[in-house]
Amino acid sequence: MAKQLDYHLMRAIFTRFQAAEPEPKGELHHTNAYTLLVAVALSAQATDIGVNKATMPLFATVDTPQKMLDLGLDGLTDAIKSIGLFRTKAKNVFRMAQILVDDYAGIVPSSRAALQSLPGVGRKTANVVLNMWFHMPAQAVDTHIFRIGNRTGICPGRDVDAVERAIEDHIPSEFQHHAHHWLILHGRYVCIARKPKCGICLIRDLCPYEDKTI
């Protein structure tokens, strides 16, 4: 685990991320808060590309909890059968739709506790929705962020909760909103797991990682 970077290095790193991509976007297809919630729930142990392939035709007609109930569990299961763990995910999404209709008038709540009470929604999923839709500085830590946080010292921690706290505690406040997107995209396309692409990394000279590639 790398040592936590100091404030000045953190500011320099995120200034570069911001300059390169002022408004980073998530890669999951969605049309509103509900479809975002469903897409993120379906993305567990699956790729965004694979989820989008299934959800783009689904969300063209099913974009509210009531429409999901009208589709039925069998219809939903068939629509997402290309996604890993699709049977379990279909049951969770269908139960989620019922709860949203019964308890929230079909509206996605903006509370982390309320979101996490829904079937198939953990803290990471809740944080993505809070960040992307409700514009809260919530930090969704995935495998990419966990890896580069510890590799670079941007947000080191022994588990995802510790990494989340490191982001909140050490990244300057003006970068908090987009922090997790910059880190996810950097980890997905540049600071990859087996052989990071250090040669094209925009923070190469600021990163203390010792085993840089050429």
Side-chain angles (χ1 to χ4, degrees):
M1 183 188 302
K3 181 181 178 181
Q4 175 68 57
L5 299 182
D6 67 30
Y7 176 82
H8 299 291
L9 268 178
M10 296 286 278
R11 176 169 289 282
I13 285 170
F14 282 91
T15 297
R16 291 187 189 180
F17 282 147
Q18 184 179 59
E21 188 69 56
E23 295 290 333
K25 304 295 183 184
E27 297 183 322
L28 284 171
H29 170 70
H30 62 282
T31 59
N32 56 25
Y34 175 64
T35 54
L36 174 61
L37 175 61
V38 171
V40 180
L42 293 176
S43 70
Q45 296 178 289
T47 65
D48 288 0
I49 292 173
V51 172
N52 289 341
K53 185 176 180 181
T55 58
M56 288 185 74
L58 174 66
F59 293 161
T61 56
V62 179
D63 59 359
T64 69
Q66 185 58 58
K67 289 179 182 178
M68 189 66 77
L69 296 179
D70 294 341
L71 176 65
L73 178 58
D74 289 343
L76 171 59
T77 303
D78 186 64
I80 66 168
K81 63 186 178 183
S82 62
I83 300 174
L85 305 175
F86 70 96
R87 294 188 189 279
T88 298
K89 290 178 180 179
K91 291 177 182 177
N92 284 336
V93 169
F94 196 74
R95 287 170 53 219
M96 179 201 300
Q98 189 68 66
I99 293 170
L100 289 173
V101 168
D102 292 346
D103 298 345
Y104 297 96
I107 298 172
V108 175
S110 59
S111 155
R112 181 185 285 117
L115 287 168
Q116 286 189 245
S117 72
L118 297 171
V121 179
R123 186 178 179 89
K124 184 177 77 171
T125 296
N127 281 349
V128 171
V129 174
L130 292 174
N131 182 285
M132 289 182 63
W133 194 260
F134 296 106
H135 306 294
M136 299 180 185
Q139 308 301 335
V141 179
D142 70 351
T143 56
H144 297 299
I145 294 180
F146 185 80
R147 177 179 68 253
I148 70 172
N150 281 290
R151 176 183 279 170
T152 65
I154 291 174
C155 47
R158 296 191 179 279
D159 54 41
V160 294
D161 292 337
V163 170
E164 183 180 332
R165 288 194 299 273
I167 294 174
E168 294 172 346
D169 291 345
H170 297 287
I171 293 176
S173 59
E174 64 265 39
F175 303 119
Q176 287 278 330
H177 181 208
H178 292 310
H180 94 274
H181 271 134
W182 284 318
L183 292 172
I184 286 172
L185 294 173
H186 191 64
R188 184 173 290 168
Y189 296 111
V190 180
C191 197
I192 57 178
R194 293 189 177 180
K195 192 176 181 181
K197 301 176 182 179
C198 300
I200 62 169
C201 177
L202 80 167
I203 62 167
R204 175 188 173 97
D205 59 314
L206 304 176
C207 172
Y209 181 56
E210 294 181 356
D211 298 325
K212 290 188 176 72
T213 60
I214 297 175

